[in-house]
């Protein structure tokens, strides 16, 4: 009897002393495999090349320092051409065939939405989907527990911009040019919220993704007497609208959402772009914060061409911080559950690239504040503090 | 004794083929651990087969060009999603109602086909595709606008279709049925009328064929096939948005029919399988191999390969894959008495 009791006690001690060394697929002794789905052939293929390049720059930096718990991080990139159907095929390939540990940075709202059922079925987490849509952090939606969003939503950005405009001039007449897709849909949500808060009506003009002519919209803003115009585009849209306004002699203050914080807006718009204000949700690439400083340093070391540096290359670099932090938190023997639990322990985490991030079981929203940047002499300068 | 309509056909191999189709997932499962990925690709191919078989009736047999079949697919997908998830109709009923609704859309699009043909009809149907996209965005209350719509899992006579494995059997049952129905249609009086219109409208009219009736009928039938595919698409993808159904998809459907062999139902099936498998499996493999030597952007390479395939087929094999198969079969049938230059 004594012998049996001692065996049981010893077994219990051994069991307690043992760490659970099982890992999820995609993790070997030397490597962690990550899956990234980008647009390499569709309407935003330019972004699809820049973002993973930025990510790889940071992952190479981490790998050169020994990786995460001794494992090198390797990223596989698949193409979806901004087609949700292809995004599903790519996600299935990465999960079932390539056996990645987790997904990261799936670009575009509809492609990211399309893979929700796969995340739920396979239990694979998606870190930092590359879309500013707030639907990604809506915890009531399918597979929300597997998605860790970083970006502040377009709705929040729009609302903060309208709040700023009304603070400055309560009589301002505001207009918004929105893309007729999920991006614009999300921006309109924030616009409706601000309209309700301030009791105002915003003049709304839509345009199609990929449009090159904005004369009609600009004329309508002019006719409507808009003093402040928000442009929900990427690069071409703000540049063309501001240049058109200059050509027809229409003077208004122009604003943009996150994707317009690209140095090319200033370069291409020239004089017409001077004073352009954009909402942004990360420590912007020109700032003196630790993240952007490291970014500039690594870009120099790696001889990243000047034309590649900027918002989207930086985006890949910045969101990779969350991925690496999650992998660190997942411990020496990472599983997908440990990765998710690890991220959910982040509280006011200062990454250097974002304002402090907090995740919890019921909150996967990431950044929830916005800073306003203004183009002054071709450079972006912060003109406000972080706003919510 | 008078010969039956299908007496000339050798139908013995069809049951064998059906058995192979249904045994295939088991073979796949035993061969590879990533069988779910391959099953999903095959499921998409199965759905597209239903659509391209219908498109072949319209383009291959009636000679009417359509660049709007992605829009028919979209209407089918959205209609079913709304009927099942918002109206609360059972999935089985949606499988009947949705194709009829999409068929009616096809019927309406058939009107311009009475006066225009060729590229002009192609452009009209392409315009229809753009209109459908705008309508989906405009009716955002039901369709979710450009943000897309999540769709529930299909429940078929009490069985919930939970995964790709279950989906495979459902999709391929319907795909086989679609092929059989399409074959019946093209071998019937209706099919002969379609072919008469394709070969010469004047001659068809002189033979007493009502052009208006049969052209619109062809659009209606083709729309029904696309609508059926749309229902399966919505409940397989579980998420639909306007980004799913762009003009490129309509062009891809035409390529599938063209590569398979215009005017042959089996050709549409072969062409669809060929293009879907090329797109998702062989081109990526080839790309991986090539990337070690040349730096290529993935999408550009895919477009290049598809363009090349189309060119090769149009120039060297206008009868498509099915035509190739027929030629090979005849060659071996008369072997070794083949005329020397006939098959070179």
């Amino acid at each position: 009897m004594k012998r049996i009791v001692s065996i049981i006690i010893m077994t219990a001690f051994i069991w307690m002393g043992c760490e659970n060394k099982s890992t999820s697929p995609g993790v070997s002794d030397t490597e962690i495999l990550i899956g990234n789905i980008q647009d390499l052939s569709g309407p935003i293929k330019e972004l699809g090349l820049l973002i993973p390049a930025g990510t790889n720059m940071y992952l190479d930096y981490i790998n050169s320092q020994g990786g995460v718990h001794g494992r090198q991080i390797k990223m596989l990139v698949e193409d979806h051409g901004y087609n949700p159907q292809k995004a599903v095929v790519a996600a299935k390939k990465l999960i079932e065939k390539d056996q990645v540990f987790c997904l990261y940075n799936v670009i575009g709202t509809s492609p990211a939405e399309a893979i929700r059922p796969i995340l739920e079925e396979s239990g694979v987490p998606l870190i930092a989907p590359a879309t500013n849509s707030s639907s990604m952090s809506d915890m009531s939606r399918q597979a929300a527990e597997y998605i860790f969003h970083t970006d502040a939503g377009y709705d929040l950005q729009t609302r903060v911009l309208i709040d700023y405009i009304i603070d400055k001039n309560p009589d301002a007449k505001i207009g918004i040019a929105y893309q007729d897709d999920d991006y614009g849909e999300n921006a309109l949500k924030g616009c409706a919220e601000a309209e309700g808060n301030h009791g105002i009506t915003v003049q709304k003009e839509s345009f199609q993704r990929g449009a090159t002519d904005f004369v009609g919209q600009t004329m309508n803003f002019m006719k409507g007497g808009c003093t402040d115009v928000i442009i929900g585009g990427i690069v071409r849209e703000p540049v063309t609208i501001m240049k058109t306004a200059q050509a027809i002699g229409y003077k208004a203050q122009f604003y943009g959402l996150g994707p317009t914080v690209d140095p090319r807006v200033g370069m291409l718009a020239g004089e017409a772009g001077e004073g352009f204000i954009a909402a942004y949700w990360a420590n912007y690439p020109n700032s003196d914060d630790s993240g952007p400083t490291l970014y500039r340093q690594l870009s120099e070391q790696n001889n990243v061409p000047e034309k590649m540096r900027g918002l989207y290359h930086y985006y890949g670099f910045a969101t990779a911080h969350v991925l690496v932090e999650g992998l660190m938190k997942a411990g020496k023997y990472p599983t997908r559950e440990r990765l998710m639990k690890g991220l959910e322990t982040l509280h006011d985490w200062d990454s250097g690239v974002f304002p402090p991030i907090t995740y919890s079981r019921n909150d996967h929203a990431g950044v929830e504040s916005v800073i306003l940047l203004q183009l002054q002499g071709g450079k972006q300068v912060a003109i406000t503090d972080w706003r919510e | 004794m008078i010969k039956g309509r299908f007496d000339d056909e050798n139908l013995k191999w069809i049951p064998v083929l059906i058995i192979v189709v249904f045994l295939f997932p088991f073979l796949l499962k035993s061969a590879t651990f990533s069988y779910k990925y391959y099953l999903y690709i095959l499921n998409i191919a199965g759905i597209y087969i239903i659509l391209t078989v219908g498109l072949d009736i319209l383009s291959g047999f009636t000679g009417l060009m359509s660049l709007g079949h992605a829009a028919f697919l979209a209407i089918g997908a959205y209609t079913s999603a709304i009927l099942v998830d918002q109206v609360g109709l059972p999935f089985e009923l949606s499988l009947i109602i949705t194709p009829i609704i999409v068929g009616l859309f096809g019927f309406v699009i058939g009107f311009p086909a009475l006066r225009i043909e060729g590229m002009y009809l192609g452009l009209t149907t392409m315009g229809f595709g753009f209109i459908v996209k705008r309508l989906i965005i405009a009716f955002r209350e039901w369709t979710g606008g450009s943000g897309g719509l999540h769709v529930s899992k299909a429940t078929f006579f009490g069985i919930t279709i939970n995964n790709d494995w279950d989906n495979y059997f459902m999709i391929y049952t319907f795909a086989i049925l679609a092929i059989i129905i399409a074959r019946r249609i093209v071998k019937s009086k209706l099919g002969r009328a379609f072919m008469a219109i394709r070969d010469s409208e004047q001659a068809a009219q002189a033979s007493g064929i009502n052009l208006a009736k049969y052209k619109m009928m062809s659009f209606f039938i083709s729309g029904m096939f696309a609508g059926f595919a749309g229902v399966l698409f919505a409940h397989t993808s579980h998420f639909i948005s306007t980004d799913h159904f762009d003009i490129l998809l309509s062009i891809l459907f035409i390529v599938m029919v063209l590569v398979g062999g215009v005017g042959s139902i089996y050709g549409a099936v072969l062409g669809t399988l060929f293009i879907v498998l090329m797109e998702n499996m062989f081109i990526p493999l080839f790309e991986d191999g090539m990337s070690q030597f040349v730096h290529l952007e993935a999408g550009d390479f895919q477009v290049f390969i598809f363009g090349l395939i189309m060119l090769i087929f149009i120039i060297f094999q206008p009868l498509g894959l099915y035509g190739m198969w027929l030629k090979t079969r005849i060659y071996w049938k008369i072997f070794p008495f083949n005329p020397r230059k006939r098959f070179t």
Side-chain angles (χ1 to χ4, degrees):
Chain A
M1 186 64 195
K2 222 174 167 184
R3 224 169 122 188
I4 294 171
V5 171
S6 62
I7 287 173
I8 290 172
I9 292 170
M10 272 180 72
T11 314
F13 270 110
I14 291 167
W15 181 76
M16 281 159 69
C18 277
E19 209 173 339
N20 187 356
K21 291 187 178 179
S22 64
T23 55
S24 291
V27 180
S28 70
D29 291 342
T30 55
E31 199 177 78
I32 300 177
L33 207 55
I34 307 296
N36 187 340
I37 309 174
Q38 289 290 334
D39 177 4
L40 302 173
S41 59
I44 51 168
K45 73 170 183 179
E46 191 190 341
L47 276 59
L49 295 168
L50 288 173
I51 295 173
T55 301
N56 275 328
M57 189 172 83
Y58 184 67
L59 295 185
D60 288 345
Y61 167 69
I62 293 292
N63 287 340
S64 69
Q65 295 191 331
V68 176
H69 296 300
R71 291 185 181 91
Q72 301 282 295
I73 311 169
K74 190 184 169 194
M75 185 170 74
L76 299 177
V77 184
E78 285 288 325
D79 172 34
H80 65 39
Y82 215 100
N83 183 325
Q85 189 60 43
K86 286 188 180 170
V88 172
V89 174
K92 292 242 178 202
K93 179 178 179 282
L94 287 168
I95 295 168
E96 301 289 341
K97 197 161 171 257
D98 301 322
Q99 300 264 303
V100 295
F101 177 60
C102 69
L103 292 177
Y104 158 77
N105 248 198
V106 175
I107 196 168
T109 311
S110 53
E113 284 289 337
I115 64 166
R116 277 182 190 270
I118 303 170
L119 301 181
E120 192 172 64
E121 193 187 324
S122 59
V124 173
L126 166 60
I127 314 294
T131 161
N132 286 186
S133 173
S134 61
S135 66
M136 281 294 120
S137 49
D138 181 349
M139 294 306 284
S140 66
R141 301 184 81 143
Q142 187 185 19
E145 65 271 34
Y146 299 102
I147 301 172
F148 289 84
H149 198 206
T150 47
D151 316 6
Y154 295 121
D155 49 352
L156 172 70
Q157 297 172 29
T158 311
R159 186 173 55 70
V160 167
L161 278 174
I162 295 177
D163 289 349
Y164 172 81
I165 296 166
I166 296 293
D167 277 356
K168 287 259 164 198
N169 175 16
D171 299 324
K173 174 87 177 86
I174 305 171
I176 182 167
Y178 67 96
Q179 201 159 282
D180 211 347
D181 63 2
D182 37 79
Y183 174 4
E185 195 111 3
N186 205 237
L188 286 184
K189 200 175 139 198
C191 184
E193 207 181 314
E195 281 179 319
N197 292 346
H198 298 289
I200 54 167
T201 307
V202 173
Q203 184 178 332
K204 299 170 190 81
E205 300 289 337
S206 71
F207 62 88
Q208 283 192 41
R209 189 194 297 152
T212 51
D213 176 25
F214 298 90
V215 176
Q217 289 88 344
T218 315
M219 290 292 278
N220 286 343
F221 286 131
M222 192 177 171
K223 268 194 255 169
C226 293
T227 54
D228 300 82
V229 175
I230 301 168
I231 305 162
I234 299 178
V235 173
R236 180 173 41 211
E237 300 82 3
V239 170
T240 317
I241 289 178
M242 288 189 290
K243 287 222 164 204
T244 308
Q246 191 186 38
I248 61 175
Y250 168 44
K251 285 200 170 94
Q253 172 63 51
F254 290 99
Y255 303 84
L257 302 183
T260 64
V261 186
D262 190 298
R264 288 172 301 173
V265 172
M267 283 193 284
L268 296 169
E271 204 185 303
E274 187 62 18
F276 176 69
I277 297 172
Y280 196 46
W281 47 270
N283 295 337
Y284 59 104
N286 296 336
S287 75
D288 294 328
D289 298 295
S290 62
T293 308
L294 177 66
Y295 172 74
R296 289 193 294 270
Q297 196 185 321
L298 290 178
S299 296
E300 285 299 323
Q301 275 174 19
N302 291 291
N303 296 321
V304 177
E306 200 62 46
K307 63 177 181 183
M308 273 181 79
R309 297 182 201 180
L311 183 68
Y312 297 106
H313 190 254
Y314 178 71
Y315 181 91
F317 168 83
T319 50
H321 282 67
V322 180
L323 173 72
V324 170
E325 186 64 17
L327 294 174
M328 294 289 284
K329 291 265 178 193
K332 211 171 172 192
Y333 302 102
T335 63
R336 288 160 179 165
E337 292 73 28
R338 284 180 203 141
L339 170 67
M340 292 190 283
K341 278 193 182 146
L343 281 169
E344 282 170 356
T345 60
L346 291 180
H347 185 78
D348 278 342
W349 170 59
D350 184 11
S351 58
V353 283
F354 297 123
I357 284 183
T358 298
Y359 288 126
S360 70
R361 200 175 165 76
N362 301 314
D363 177 14
H364 287 191
V367 179
E368 290 177 286
S369 51
V370 168
I371 192 168
L372 300 190
L373 309 174
Q374 187 169 37
L375 269 176
Q376 294 178 3
K379 289 243 169 206
Q380 279 148 341
V381 180
I383 55 166
T384 62
D385 286 333
W386 291 95
R387 294 179 162 221
E388 287 181 5
Chain B
M1 206 174 114
I2 299 170
K3 264 190 179 181
R5 191 180 292 157
F6 298 96
D7 283 359
D8 284 340
E9 281 192 71
N10 180 6
L11 301 172
K12 278 180 214 154
W13 57 277
I14 290 179
V16 180
L17 196 68
I18 291 173
I19 291 168
V20 169
V21 166
F22 287 118
L23 282 180
F24 192 71
F26 296 96
L27 285 172
L28 204 61
K29 195 176 178 178
S30 58
T32 169
F33 66 90
S34 46
Y35 68 97
K36 284 185 193 165
Y37 163 63
Y38 296 109
L39 274 183
Y40 182 77
I41 291 173
L42 287 172
N43 287 347
I44 292 298
I47 293 170
Y48 287 172
I49 282 172
I50 299 174
L51 184 136
T52 50
V53 158
L55 178 61
D56 203 22
I57 291 177
L58 181 74
S59 300
F61 287 92
T62 324
L64 300 170
M65 192 173 177
S66 169
L67 283 172
H69 262 60
F72 287 129
L73 186 74
I75 298 171
Y78 274 97
T79 307
S80 182
I82 292 166
L83 286 179
V84 175
D85 293 343
Q86 294 172 32
V87 180
L89 283 186
F91 175 72
E92 300 85 343
L93 213 56
S94 169
L95 272 175
I96 299 165
I97 296 174
T98 306
I100 294 172
I101 293 174
V102 183
L104 289 174
F105 271 95
F107 195 75
V108 173
I109 289 301
F111 274 111
L114 306 178
R115 292 188 177 273
I116 52 176
E117 55 188 34
M119 271 318 289
Y120 299 101
L121 182 62
L123 286 174
T124 310
T125 48
M126 191 170 91
F128 168 69
F130 293 129
I131 293 169
V132 168
K133 189 176 174 181
R134 308 312 300 169
L135 285 176
I136 290 170
I137 293 171
F139 290 108
R140 48 170 57 87
E141 224 168 280
W142 295 297
T143 60
S146 37
L149 192 63
H150 283 275
V151 188
S152 63
K153 286 174 179 166
T155 306
F156 196 59
F157 293 111
I159 305 164
T160 306
I161 309 295
N162 267 324
N163 46 41
D164 295 324
W165 182 271
D166 300 344
N167 246 329
Y168 179 90
F169 291 99
M170 180 174 77
I171 288 169
Y172 277 89
T173 306
F174 288 127
I176 289 167
L177 279 175
I179 296 165
I180 293 170
I181 293 168
R183 292 273 299 166
R184 288 269 160 175
I185 289 172
V186 298
K187 295 274 174 187
S188 68
K189 180 189 162 197
L190 197 64
R192 285 194 295 276
F194 289 162
M195 284 183 268
I197 293 171
R198 175 193 65 192
D199 295 339
S200 164
E201 286 196 7
Q202 286 83 357
Q205 209 163 12
S207 314
I209 291 169
N210 184 338
L211 287 188
K213 181 181 152 191
Y214 283 101
K215 276 188 177 182
M216 284 163 80
M217 191 85 97
S218 182
F219 262 105
F220 179 76
I221 292 170
S222 192
M224 277 189 77
F225 276 88
F228 205 92
V231 179
L232 297 177
F233 186 89
H235 296 273
T236 299
S237 301
H238 304 304
F239 175 75
I240 47 174
S241 74
T242 47
D243 290 325
H244 281 86
F245 312 101
D246 58 4
I247 176 70
L248 282 176
L249 188 61
S250 289
I251 295 171
L252 204 64
F253 290 145
I254 295 279
V255 175
M256 287 171 186
V257 173
L258 206 71
V259 167
V262 181
S264 111
I265 299 297
Y266 296 141
V269 177
L270 286 176
T272 308
L273 282 172
F274 179 77
I275 293 292
V276 173
L277 296 183
M278 276 294 281
E279 186 185 10
N280 294 299
M281 286 157 75
F282 302 126
I283 293 181
L285 270 180
F286 193 55
E287 262 169 15
D288 288 347
M290 285 291 284
S291 63
Q292 291 170 9
F293 308 104
V294 203
H295 174 72
L296 286 162
E297 289 175 22
D300 295 346
F301 192 65
Q302 192 154 316
V303 172
F304 169 77
I305 294 276
F306 276 135
L308 198 67
I309 289 171
M310 265 194 76
L311 273 180
I312 290 171
F313 270 92
I314 290 169
I315 298 169
F316 300 107
Q317 279 299 340
L319 293 177
L321 289 169
Y322 190 63
M324 276 166 75
W325 156 246
L326 285 181
K327 277 184 187 176
T328 318
R329 208 174 66 167
I330 295 168
Y331 180 87
W332 287 111
K333 227 174 191 175
I334 57 176
F335 187 82
F337 306 107
N338 315 89
R340 192 162 269 234
K341 285 192 174 171
R342 199 165 155 186
F343 296 101
T344 54

